[in-house]
Amino acid sequence: MQQRFETFTVLIAKISRSIRRIKAEEMSEFHLKGPHVSCLYYLTQLGPLTAGQLCDRCEEDKAAVSRSLEYLEQNGYVTRPDKRYRGPLTLTEKGQETGRAIAGKIDRLVEAASEGLTPEQRQVMYDALTCISGHLERLAVPQKS
């Protein structure tokens, strides 16, 4: 049991560090950070979204998404008709162009990361990760006495 725990936690930590490093390297040409990339990616894939919807998609807190959106708006990537939190954000032409480039990079990286896996193996991996994530989220919630 101890070996499974060590293997699991080490591999998950290595994957997380690698993802952060790859995001930083691959996105440096755009002068964007991880949360900026996530916001642009989801707006590119899903169309106009509110800040709240982006929080849910990006798995980031409200403050982090708010800071990212402020940066993206000030640098001409997104617009919102009203400045309220609930207003939908729309990509500008610059945002659309950058979002497509980011999505292309992400597609290539995901494909390279799963190289050598059959579609069936990939599905089993995602199913297992989804199951484990759900269990860990439930365990992470403080239990009521």
Side-chain angles (χ1 to χ4, degrees):
M1 190 65 88
Q2 183 175 349
Q3 180 65 34
R4 278 181 31 203
F5 170 77
E6 290 170 3
T7 301
F8 176 78
T9 56
V10 167
L11 289 175
I12 294 297
K14 285 172 80 172
I15 289 168
S16 182
R17 274 194 307 277
S18 294
I19 289 170
R20 279 195 308 276
R21 225 173 309 158
I22 289 167
K23 266 187 177 180
E25 283 178 33
E26 291 292 326
M27 299 307 149
S28 65
E29 74 181 82
F30 301 111
H31 305 290
L32 298 171
K33 296 182 180 176
H36 305 144
V37 170
S38 295
C39 290
L40 284 175
Y41 177 79
Y42 287 115
L43 288 168
T44 299
Q45 298 301 307
L46 303 173
L49 297 170
T50 64
Q53 291 169 320
L54 280 171
C55 288
D56 294 341
R57 288 291 179 167
C58 298
E59 293 283 328
E60 293 281 347
D61 64 42
K62 200 174 180 179
V65 169
S66 181
R67 285 189 301 273
S68 294
L69 293 176
E70 186 175 323
Y71 175 88
L72 293 172
E73 195 169 10
Q74 288 176 352
N75 288 279
Y77 293 97
V78 300
T79 61
R80 61 179 129 190
D82 59 15
K83 299 292 181 186
R84 293 191 338 255
Y85 184 74
R86 295 175 197 225
L89 294 130
T90 307
L91 292 172
T92 62
E93 185 152 337
K94 177 182 179 180
Q96 290 174 14
E97 209 173 278
T98 305
R100 283 191 298 272
I102 287 170
K105 281 184 177 271
I106 289 171
D107 289 346
R108 288 188 295 279
L109 290 166
V110 168
E111 192 62 37
S114 61
E115 188 178 325
L117 295 177
T118 65
E120 294 79 18
Q121 290 171 317
R122 192 174 298 120
Q123 187 60 53
V124 167
M125 176 193 67
Y126 285 122
D127 289 346
L129 287 172
T130 299
C131 181
I132 291 167
S133 176
H135 291 311
L136 291 174
E137 279 185 47
R138 278 193 303 282
L139 292 169
V141 174
Q143 302 297 317
K144 294 181 181 179
S145 307

